[in-house]
Amino acid sequence: KTALERLDFELDYDAVTGVLSRRGITRALEEMLSDSHADGSRVAALLVDLTEFALINRTLGHEAADEAMEMIARSIVGAAPVHARIGRFDGLLLLVVIPGVVEDAPDLEQWCGPILQAVATEKSLRGHRFVREARIGASISTPKSTAATLLRKANAALSQTGGEGLQRWSLYDDVDGAQ
């Protein structure tokens, strides 16, 4: 690979988790939306908000928190549909992008449940056991969706899960907002 190809690769992948970086996942989302506009399918965007890493940072340090983040990212990759793309969108926020969505709620239930379970499965790190929880904000593209609007709607849905506790997901509804 040339130096430019290596740099491009490094910009597209998160060094801590090994999943796509914000740049990489945004590019993947834009490509999937372009394909969906061409073939009439839809794309789901799932913002996965991980919680309570401060305790790991305080007790085991930042390197251990990075290891925990990598473990959780791998768990999400294993739980997400095989055709999904996963990226670290921001800090403790991961984005799962799923192309070819046919229905709203049935597909999301089958995808969000395993992702939440994967995050909540007990893990061992440096002789300590830990369990993290998450919440997911989801949105489904429309024929006019852009990456920015789809992400804004997923974030609005995510904000609706905060008062309801963790291990929950919410779908953005274009008529009523998040539900």
Side-chain angles (χ1 to χ4, degrees):
K1 289 184 177 181
T2 67
L4 187 55
E5 289 172 326
R6 281 192 308 274
L7 177 60
D8 201 43
F9 178 85
E10 289 173 9
L11 290 172
D12 279 343
Y13 286 86
D14 181 66
V16 171
T17 62
V19 298
L20 290 168
S21 65
R22 183 180 188 136
R23 174 187 155 176
I25 194 65
T26 301
R27 282 180 168 184
L29 174 58
E30 289 168 346
E31 289 172 17
M32 288 180 192
L33 282 171
S34 177
D35 292 345
S36 76
H37 293 160
D39 69 16
S41 65
R42 297 186 294 168
V43 175
L46 312 178
L47 277 175
V48 182
D49 185 18
L50 305 172
T51 61
E52 300 303 319
F53 266 72
L55 179 62
I56 294 174
N57 277 330
R58 284 193 312 268
T59 58
L60 300 176
H62 291 284
E63 286 181 12
D66 286 349
E67 288 177 44
M69 185 66 162
E70 179 186 15
M71 288 174 160
I72 290 171
R74 278 196 318 259
S75 296
I76 291 172
V77 167
V82 70
H83 59 289
R85 301 294 303 267
I86 294 92
R88 188 171 184 184
F89 195 70
D90 187 32
L92 300 178
L93 199 60
L94 297 174
L95 177 60
V96 178
V97 181
I98 306 167
V101 175
V102 178
E103 300 176 30
D104 292 341
D107 288 343
L108 286 175
E109 180 63 42
Q110 107 186 16
W111 296 328
C112 291
I115 290 170
L116 290 171
Q117 184 60 42
V119 171
T121 301
E122 185 177 85
K123 295 165 184 60
S124 180
L125 176 66
R126 299 183 179 187
H128 299 272
R129 295 178 194 269
F130 73 94
V131 175
R132 295 280 59 96
E133 293 182 317
R135 52 197 186 99
I136 299 174
S139 62
I140 306 291
S141 68
T142 66
K144 295 181 180 181
S145 292
T146 65
T149 59
L150 195 59
L151 291 169
R152 188 170 48 252
K153 291 174 181 181
N155 196 51
L158 182 61
S159 70
Q160 294 297 312
T161 64
E164 300 175 19
L166 300 172
Q167 293 303 100
R168 299 186 64 85
W169 65 273
S170 177
L171 170 64
Y172 184 89
D173 181 334
D174 280 315
V175 175
D176 300 323
Q179 62 181 26

